[in-house]
Amino acid sequence: MMGYYKDPENTAEAITDDGWLCTGDIGYVDDEGFLYLTGRKKNLIILSNGENVAPEQIENMFTDEAIIEDILVFEENDTITAEIYPNFKYAEASDINQKLPTFKRILNYRMRRDPFEKTTSKKINRSNYFSQKKLEEEQRAKIVMPQNELQQKIYDSVAAVLGHQNFGITTDFYRAGMDSMGSVMLLTDLADNMDFSITLDDL
């Protein structure tokens, strides 16, 4: 409860006047009176067709799948999307997906090379993931792409050395992952492909 300490506004939202804690969980009670928790209210996905999807409910269906180490389900372009960190032996989850109602099916997925950041309770830190994703999108929107033939040639050479294109012509190459060996490789590549020589200072 440390998150509510000296925070009367959040405390009032989470704790009722008569002392009940609003956990933010969503679920249902079955015919026999058993309570099933299916997700968190703040994570609920509402599609444009009005269907509600609890991402945790889908994620939990993959818990016993040895082929999936971690899975994070979210909405992207009004479709259910999953980002998966597999065990790299096999990464197809089609069998489970086909059993889901059409509106819950994962239509897109991306593979990760690194595990998700976890909370102290070993759950994927969902809020940090989306904060980082938003930051990356904002940074990509600020990237200035090549505007002439020379800039494009240099850009292509840098991309070949870095192994990615997450940078622009105003990006500090070293912040984008360039190291001293990469600098040498880049200058060599530029010398082979340019009509003139270029030094590190020029670059």
Side-chain angles (χ1 to χ4, degrees), residues 24-98:
D25 295 299
I26 56 176
Y28 65 93
V29 178
D30 69 8
D31 295 337
E32 298 180 4
F34 287 97
L35 172 64
Y36 292 86
L37 299 180
T38 57
R40 300 280 293 162
K41 186 177 180 181
K42 66 179 181 180
N43 298 333
L44 193 65
I45 298 169
I46 302 175
L47 299 174
S48 62
N49 61 7
E51 295 286 1
N52 292 352
V53 179
E56 297 93 341
Q57 188 176 24
I58 299 175
E59 292 163 359
N60 290 338
M61 296 177 75
F62 291 86
T63 300
D64 296 327
E65 288 295 314
I67 58 172
I68 294 178
E69 184 75 21
D70 286 317
I71 178 171
L72 187 71
V73 173
F74 53 93
E75 178 272 334
E76 189 171 77
N77 298 323
D78 204 38
T79 61
I80 302 301
T81 300
E83 188 156 332
I84 298 168
Y85 175 62
N87 66 2
F88 293 103
K89 291 180 181 178
Y90 186 66
E92 286 294 338
S94 58
D95 290 343
I96 287 178
N97 209 33
Q98 294 304 316

Side-chain angles (χ1 to χ4, degrees), residues 76 132-142:
E76 189 171 77
Q132 181 63 30
K133 193 167 184 279
K134 182 179 179 182
L135 179 61
E136 290 172 359
E137 289 171 353
E138 290 172 350
Q139 291 173 339
R140 276 195 294 271
K142 295 177 182 177

Side-chain angles (χ1 to χ4, degrees), residues 41 54 102 107 122 153:
K41 186 177 180 181
T102 305
L107 301 180
K122 305 300 182 186
K153 285 183 177 180

